[in-house]
Structure formats: structure tokens, C-alpha cells
Amino acid sequence: MTTPTFAPGMTPRTAEVTRNTAETQITVRVNLDGTGEAKLSTGIGFFDHMLDQIARHGLIDLDILAMGDLHIDGHHTVEDVGITFGQAVARAVGDKKGLRRYGHAYVPLDEALSRVVVDFSGRPGLSMDVPFKSGMIGTFDSQLAYEFFHGFVNHAFVTLHIDNLKGENAHHQAETVFKAFARALRMALEIDPRAAGVIPSTKGSL
């Protein structure tokens, strides 16, 4: 993980979270002001590929080590990575002062096009409409994309809207979703120099 640089008065936005259950053992480290470096090991190749998209396109340094009950299936591993990643992001964000809060992105890949909108609202909610054309992408069950994002929103306390607008290839559909998610995160997590030290809500807290 790279050593981050910060503006004067800015504190490091990093976190490490470990989650151990009877089904999974997971450690996630994040640096929200990184360069997109990733060290990923979940035992599910395509899932690692998607997590790499989050790091690369979100400019988040991401270190994930997950050991789960893959002899059953990937469900617990994918869901619990989402939960632990969400917890790490929430911890790294802190009080949200100066945060842009909202982020959105459209990302194409050949015939596929997806839109993702995120709000660091403090209120978890997921609306996801992705009609995958295949049940499996490599060894990754496409239904588990929803479980990952559901785990993330519930523990990062964000509102997240994900829509695959076009797509005929499930790999392309998933990749546009994860890349758009990364880009939306990158926008929402930026510090707004015009609102430094201000919580972006009329309520005064998020």
C-alpha cells in the first residue's frame, strides 16, 4: 500500500478491519487517498478481478485477504467481503467533513453500459437492477454481485443505485457495474475545497 500524501491539516483516511466468523476470516485494509494499488486474495478469480476495478478506478488502495467456505459456494465469502469493505470505508471516512458526499458515473464496455449513483447519506439502501445474461461468470455466481453491494451499503451507511442499462455479455455487465461503482465512489469521497471542515448536510450530521 502506498504512503499517502495529504493537504495541510488533512488526516489520513485509512482503516483496517478484520471479520472472523465460523464461515469466513477476512481482513480489509483501505486507503481512500491512494493510487489504486491492490493486493487481493478471495479464492474467487473473477471476484478478485472486480475488486481490482474498485481499487484501480476508485484510486483506493485496497488490501483484502479472505478465507471462506468455498467448498460450499462463494456466497459467504462475497457477502462478508462486502460487509468488511463497507466497515473499513465507513471507518476511514470518519465524520464526513468536507466530503463531496454524492458521486455518479456511467461506464461502457463494448455493448454494455451501467450507471451507478452513491450518496454517503448515513442511511443504508440499495436499489440494483442488473439483468445478468448468465448465472456464472467463471466461478463467480452473478447473483452474488447483489450480496456484495448489499453488505457494503449496510455497513458503509450509503445509499446506492446500480443500473445496467445495456448488455448482452455477463462479464461486460459486471465489469461496467464495478467500474462505475468505483468512479462514483471516487467522486463522492473527494474532499471539496469549497466546503472544507463542513459536514455536507443541512442536518449538521450524516
Side-chain angles (χ1 to χ4, degrees), residues 42-51 74-75 77-79 128 132 134-149 170-171 174 178:
T42 67
I44 306 171
F46 184 77
F47 186 40
D48 285 351
H49 181 45
M50 294 300 97
L51 294 170
H75 190 288
T77 298
V78 173
E79 179 181 29
M128 182 171 172
F132 282 110
S134 174
M136 298 297 294
I137 311 170
T139 60
F140 180 80
D141 182 347
S142 60
Q143 295 182 92
L144 298 185
Y146 179 90
E147 301 304 326
F148 169 78
F149 289 115
H171 185 130
F178 277 84

Side-chain angles (χ1 to χ4, degrees), residues 8-191:
M10 183 177 174
T11 57
R13 297 194 299 170
T14 62
E16 177 176 334
V17 175
T18 296
R19 174 183 172 85
N20 290 319
T21 74
E23 299 165 338
T24 61
Q25 297 81 49
I26 297 169
T27 297
V28 174
R29 299 181 185 90
V30 297
N31 170 13
L32 302 183
D33 303 292
T35 60
E37 289 190 7
K39 184 178 179 182
L40 307 165
S41 179
T42 67
I44 306 171
F46 184 77
F47 186 40
D48 285 351
H49 181 45
M50 294 300 97
L51 294 170
D52 193 31
Q53 305 307 318
I54 295 174
R56 185 71 55 86
H57 294 280
L59 290 183
I60 296 170
D61 289 348
L62 189 56
D63 188 337
I64 297 177
L65 175 62
M67 292 177 286
D69 51 3
L70 297 181
H71 62 285
I72 298 174
D73 64 13
H75 190 288
H76 299 141
T77 298
V78 173
E79 179 181 29
D80 286 5
V81 167
I83 289 171
T84 314
F85 177 51
Q87 291 172 334
V89 169
R91 187 174 297 180
V93 167
D95 62 13
K96 304 177 188 176
K97 287 182 179 178
L99 205 67
R100 290 197 185 277
R101 175 178 168 176
Y102 300 100
H104 64 273
Y106 286 81
V107 170
L109 175 57
D110 297 341
E111 88 297 344
L113 174 66
S114 292
R115 175 186 62 216
V116 173
V117 184
V118 64
D119 174 14
F120 276 77
S121 60
R123 299 182 303 278
L126 173 63
S127 175
M128 182 171 172
D129 184 7
V130 182
F132 282 110
K133 302 297 185 179
S134 174
M136 298 297 294
I137 311 170
T139 60
F140 180 80
D141 182 347
S142 60
Q143 295 182 92
L144 298 185
Y146 179 90
E147 301 304 326
F148 169 78
F149 289 115
H150 191 248
F152 173 79
V153 301
N154 282 340
H155 293 269
F157 305 105
V158 304
T159 301
L160 183 63
H161 288 256
I162 300 173
D163 293 282
N164 174 239
L165 305 176
K166 297 178 181 179
E168 296 300 326
N169 179 287
H171 185 130
H172 294 172
Q173 289 175 288
E175 192 159 332
T176 57
V177 163
F178 277 84
K179 285 179 175 177
F181 172 66
R183 286 282 173 168
L185 272 187
R186 178 176 169 181
M187 180 185 293
L189 290 169
E190 285 182 346
I191 299 299

